[in-house]
Amino acid sequence: MQLENKSIIVTGGASGIGGAVSRELIARGAKVVAVDINEDAGQALVNECGDSAAFLNGDVSDPETAKKAVALAAEKFGKLDGLVNNAHASRQKPFLELEKEDWELSFGTGFWATAQFMKAAYEELKKTKGAIVNYGSGSAMSGQTTQGAYASAKEAIRGLSRVVANEWAEDGIRVNVISPLALTEGVEKWSKAQPEAYEKVKNQIPMGRYGDPAKDIAPVVAFLLSDDARYISGQTVMADGGTQKLY
Ligand SMILES: NC(=O)c1ccc[n+]([C@@H]2O[C@H](COP(=O)([O-])OP(=O)(O)OC[C@H]3O[C@@H](n4cnc5c(N)ncnc54)[C@H](O)[C@@H]3O)[C@@H](O)[C@H]2O)c1
């Protein structure tokens, strides 16, 4: 029960990696506010986890959603110890085909939502000396084709995470980034749209397989939120089967 009674917000926390993260945090004793646009998956989480989970149906790109999520965590669980900025929607297109809406979708749900949620959570996290986990991507680090809008937002998230980790260190708030690789519905959709790119990525994974959201990714997020990671901040942790090495 590494996270006993910790109150944690997980954006995109109803399904995919976020759904696995919500369940893992609860299994380790936490209470979770899952923020998602998928009402059915959100209700399924609450049905499964009972009082340990609260669901907020909201779009993370709307700044009001972040404020509502923090208020819900404080009201329902009395405090806020952690924030997981997992949600991120995007469209894959060659750079020259990307339109304003594509940039807005990726930066709105990825970078801007991460910034808004961190800002909204600050006062509560300061009280608990809490922790934040943001999300990067190996495809952004390697410059994978067709990921212009997504990769730019992901690297902006990493840049901001390092700055905020430094600025809020004196408040006792830690900020880290996880860069996962896992087979989710989102990745399955992408694999059907771009089977060659999917196979190429798979062939580059030294461990030879995509990660499992529950077994390979969620425990790493739980660790970063826990007191076991109390001396780790401003880092990017690669949970990708050894694909990318950061030096
Ligand atoms: N799956 C991978 O291999 C991989 C690789 C690198 C990075 N990532 C990152 O991990 C995170 C999770 O990825 P995933 O594959 O589980 O994604 P996914 O698309 O499978 O699931 C994302 C979840 O976010 C929700 N969501 C989407 N748009 C939203 C919005 N506007 N507001 C609120 N909720 C919204 C969805 O309903 C879903 O529950 C993302 O930040 C993604 O970029 C994933």
Side-chain angles (χ1 to χ4, degrees):
M1 298 304 261
Q2 191 187 30
L3 298 172
E4 186 132 40
N5 286 327
K6 290 204 188 271
S7 161
I8 301 168
I9 293 171
V10 182
T11 72
S15 72
I17 292 174
V21 167
S22 295
R23 287 166 173 86
E24 182 68 23
L25 303 184
I26 289 169
R28 293 183 189 215
K31 314 279 185 199
V32 165
V33 172
V35 183
D36 210 294
I37 48 174
N38 187 334
E39 171 84 37
D40 290 346
Q43 288 308 335
L45 178 77
V46 172
N47 293 343
E48 190 184 319
C49 302
D51 284 346
S52 295
F55 174 60
L56 177 67
N57 188 344
D59 185 328
V60 291
S61 62
D62 176 353
E64 290 306 310
T65 305
K67 292 181 196 157
K68 284 183 196 160
V70 173
L72 180 59
E75 181 198 311
K76 194 153 165 76
F77 303 131
K79 59 181 180 138
L80 185 67
D81 302 278
L83 167 64
V84 181
N85 281 307
N86 162 87
H88 193 164
S90 63
R91 297 185 197 101
Q92 284 69 48
K93 292 178 185 177
F95 172 58
L96 292 177
E97 291 173 23
L98 283 167
E99 295 180 12
K100 193 162 171 275
E101 296 72 35
D102 302 317
W103 291 100
E104 283 171 354
L105 176 70
S106 181
F107 272 79
T109 60
F111 175 75
W112 189 235
T114 296
Q116 288 300 321
F117 270 80
M118 288 200 292
K119 210 171 148 187
Y122 173 68
E123 289 300 336
E124 289 296 330
L125 291 178
K126 201 170 142 183
K127 291 183 202 162
T128 57
K129 300 195 187 308
I132 298 171
V133 177
N134 295 331
Y135 279 57
S137 171
S139 66
M141 295 170 207
S142 65
Q144 199 174 305
T145 55
T146 75
Q147 301 279 15
Y150 176 72
S152 311
K154 282 301 195 208
E155 288 297 278
I157 289 170
R158 290 213 305 139
L160 181 64
S161 300
R162 287 191 290 264
V163 171
V164 178
N166 285 338
E167 289 187 359
W168 293 358
E170 64 184 24
D171 296 314
I173 301 172
R174 297 181 297 104
V175 185
N176 288 294
V177 174
I178 183 167
S179 180
L181 191 60
L183 204 51
T184 58
E185 265 179 50
V187 171
E188 270 173 35
K189 231 187 265 172
W190 171 70
S191 75
K192 280 175 194 137
Q194 299 192 38
E196 280 171 24
Y198 169 81
E199 281 303 320
K200 197 172 158 198
V201 171
K202 195 173 153 206
N203 292 335
Q204 286 165 352
I205 306 171
M207 291 189 189
R209 63 174 178 86
Y210 270 80
D212 177 80
K215 292 190 182 130
D216 298 320
I217 312 300
V220 182
V221 176
F223 163 70
L224 290 172
L225 291 167
S226 78
D227 293 339
D228 288 344
R230 57 190 284 167
Y231 203 47
I232 302 177
S233 194
Q235 306 299 321
T236 296
V237 176
M238 307 303 299
D240 65 353
T243 305
Q244 307 253 2
K245 280 91 180 168
L246 299 183
Y247 300 106

